[in-house]
Amino acid sequence: MTATKTAGPARLLTQVAADRQTGALVVGGHPGGAVYVLEGRVIYAESPAAPGVGELLTASGRLAGRTWQTAIDQGTSTARVGRLLVEQGHLTQGELELCVLGATYDAAYFALSPTGAPVEFLDGAMHWLGPVAHIDPAAVNREVRRRTRMLDSIFPDARVDTAAVTPVARPPRERITLTALQWELLVHADGQRTPADLALLLGRAGFATIAELRRLAAAGLLELPEVRAEPPEFVRLPVARGAAVDVRRPPPATGDPPPAPPVPSVPPVPPAPSVPPVPVVRGPRPEDNSSAGPVNSTGAGTVYRPPRLARRKPGAKLPKEVAGEAPPAHPGTDEVLLKRIRTALRALR
Amino acid sequence: MPDMDTALKEIMEIDGAVGVALVDHTSGMALGTVGGGKELDLTVAAAGNTDVVRAKLRAMEMLNISEKIEDILITLDSQYHMIRPLTSRSGKGLFLYVALRRDRSNLAMARHQLRRIENDLDV
């Protein structure tokens, strides 16, 4: 039996549980996820926004990547990866249970918190981890609601949960105090990684990541998504290259100089000693050309100075003329790519 | 440790224990509970006491104390509430929360037993 419909995933889970069914509740949308049910009890949940048991165990250093991979290879087909790890003595039953419980509730939050999403129930589907924990679906739904309320009480803006994380360039206060996880998040946030990327990278629970990000946002330490949704701030271009004179600049004064009102207020710039013969342009800097009206240029030999490039905000794009073809944005893949290159280089040695 | 429930049940055998919860400090969720009941909702207690732990950590930070919390004791008219952060390898970010009846428990013994169980409990 497979039915696709748009509904509250939480309500459907209650229904599935009441019928004591076995299978997977697959929730579409962003981030989406899947909740695995065995005879009406939740045994596991996964979501792209929440690191799974494997990521948690390997990222924390509890299991070597190879150990985990071996267990996956041996146990996936029979859905007993969890039991294998305990039987082979890599984990205690208690450790595995706690890890599965934590990962399940974490992923369940992302899968079940949307009020409306395409939901599909795959009858009979089983997770390769096998049954480790058996959780009452009502408890899962209750926990999801509690977490939603908790996040909203910290900072009621759900966009923080999905948008790429950009720390503010300058903190709003003189002194700030961070928790360890907040520090890790800020250090690894590069304006491209989303909260889900950061959770996977750091091996931290997705919900804990979001909660800390909301706390950071409440403290004014994150650029809020709406600020960055504005057209990206382009770098001011050098208008012309070489020694050409800017077209917008009025022609050099011909004997009768204009009154030039703004200049007298500006303290005269002493001519640079190293280049004495070149007449120095006085008045507003060239980059203010667009706003300033007539520029007073003393003497006929106007020297063109390329305007300075404005400092870019982290994440701001270069203008096309300078950057050329923008590389396709694959948040997170640079890490993977670098790792591959490293492996390849090692193999060459 | 065979499994979490066994450890929690062992804690319930401490004299006067009314309820025990193993709580995830990052989310405030009870990963496992034993005991409790109508007068003591352990999931609510877990969430509330996470704030207690967080507040205490913040207070210590402001005082520039870099020590760890061994346990937090709250004495009520008729109950003791004990919070004990776990320090084991994979127990980081978890704490035990135990409610004891004051008239039936021995505080020193209870703390001693809890410490012993925590040492056995390699979660």
Side-chain angles (χ1 to χ4, degrees):
Chain A
M1 181 201 81
T2 304
T4 309
K5 47 184 160 179
T6 300
R11 245 208 8 244
L12 212 64
L13 178 67
T14 314
Q15 234 174 56
V16 167
D19 302 342
R20 297 184 57 77
Q21 296 195 57
T22 297
L25 197 70
V26 181
V27 182
H30 286 283
V35 180
Y36 292 83
V37 185
L38 179 70
E39 290 174 358
R41 309 277 279 178
V42 175
I43 55 163
Y44 193 60
E46 55 189 10
S47 164
V53 172
E55 282 94 356
L56 291 175
L57 287 171
T58 50
S60 65
R62 183 63 192 85
L63 281 188
R66 195 177 305 159
T67 314
W68 173 253
Q69 193 55 48
T70 313
I72 292 269
D73 293 344
Q74 292 177 354
T76 300
S77 54
T78 48
R80 50 200 287 279
V81 172
R83 251 182 48 209
L84 272 177
L85 283 170
V86 175
E87 278 168 10
Q88 293 171 354
H90 297 301
L91 289 175
T92 65
Q93 178 71 26
E95 272 178 309
L96 181 65
E97 259 178 48
L98 283 179
C99 194
V100 169
L101 278 172
T104 303
Y105 276 110
D106 192 25
Y109 166 74
F110 293 101
L112 300 177
S113 58
T115 44
V119 187
E120 194 178 356
F121 187 71
L122 302 177
D123 205 14
M126 184 76 180
H127 195 265
W128 42 260
L129 192 68
V132 177
H134 302 264
I135 316 167
D136 181 11
V140 175
N141 279 335
R142 218 167 32 237
E143 180 63 20
V144 169
R145 286 197 300 274
R146 188 186 71 83
R147 291 184 176 204
T148 311
R149 280 199 307 273
M150 186 177 150
L151 285 180
D152 284 343
S153 72
I154 297 171
F155 189 70
D157 189 340
R159 284 169 303 178
V160 177
D161 304 355
T162 47
V165 183
T166 309
V168 290
R170 185 163 288 175
R173 287 188 308 281
E174 193 61 30
R175 291 177 77 91
I176 44 177
T177 314
L178 299 177
T179 64
L181 180 51
Q182 287 175 342
W183 170 269
E184 283 182 42
L185 289 171
L186 288 182
V187 164
H188 290 93
D190 57 359
Q192 308 278 322
R193 294 184 177 128
T194 61
D197 295 333
L198 287 169
L200 283 176
L201 181 72
L202 303 173
R204 299 296 196 135
F207 176 79
T209 306
I210 288 184
E212 291 297 6
L213 285 175
R214 290 227 193 174
R215 286 196 185 100
L216 285 172
L221 296 175
L222 290 188
E223 296 272 6
L224 288 180
E226 77 250 17
V227 176
R228 277 176 293 132
E230 284 172 13
E233 195 176 295
F234 285 129
V235 178
R236 196 176 292 279
L237 268 181
V239 187
R241 288 166 201 260
V245 178
D246 195 332
V247 194
R248 272 175 291 179
R249 201 168 292 181
T254 50
D256 190 51
V263 182
S265 63
V266 180
V269 183
S274 55
V275 279
V278 182
V280 176
V281 181
R282 297 183 189 211
R285 287 229 177 96
E287 61 230 74
D288 294 331
N289 278 353
S290 50
S291 55
V295 176
N296 182 29
S297 39
T298 53
T302 305
V303 174
Y304 174 75
R305 293 209 178 155
R308 290 184 197 162
L309 290 180
R311 182 178 285 274
R312 272 182 301 148
K313 278 190 181 171
K317 286 177 188 145
L318 276 174
K320 265 193 189 136
E321 296 89 322
V322 170
E325 266 307 294
H330 291 300
T333 44
D334 48 350
E335 206 104 356
V336 180
L337 184 67
L338 286 174
K339 275 184 187 161
R340 273 194 202 154
I341 292 173
R342 190 177 62 190
T343 318
L345 285 176
R346 277 195 187 146
L348 283 176
R349 264 196 269 165
Chain B
M1 162 203 167
D3 63 284
M4 185 176 65
D5 271 342
T6 315
L8 293 184
K9 277 177 188 143
E10 201 180 333
I11 294 172
M12 276 302 280
E13 280 163 21
I14 296 175
D15 283 340
V18 196
V20 55
L22 182 59
V23 186
D24 175 17
H25 170 250
T26 53
S27 64
M29 178 189 62
L31 291 168
T33 60
V34 175
K38 264 197 195 116
E39 61 268 35
L40 181 65
D41 185 333
L42 285 170
T43 51
V44 174
N49 282 288
T50 302
D51 293 337
V52 173
V53 175
R54 191 171 290 144
K56 185 63 206 173
L57 285 173
R58 202 161 46 228
M60 292 192 350
E61 188 182 280
M62 287 193 280
L63 293 167
N64 258 332
I65 299 174
S66 59
E67 292 180 40
K68 290 198 176 63
I69 299 176
E70 184 180 332
D71 54 18
I72 299 173
L73 173 69
I74 294 155
T75 313
L76 309 182
D77 289 341
S78 66
Q79 286 184 348
Y80 292 127
H81 288 186
M82 258 159 62
I83 295 168
R84 191 176 179 89
L86 298 190
T87 50
S88 69
R89 181 172 45 168
S90 53
K92 288 258 165 62
L94 300 175
F95 67 84
L96 278 170
Y97 168 76
V98 190
L100 302 159
R101 274 183 59 177
R102 213 174 146 168
D103 53 348
R104 302 226 344 241
S105 62
N106 177 333
L107 189 58
M109 273 305 286
R111 280 190 69 203
H112 175 72
Q113 279 170 297
L114 202 58
R115 185 181 311 142
R116 186 181 50 76
I117 294 169
E118 193 215 322
N119 286 338
D120 294 347
L121 187 140
D122 188 12
V123 284

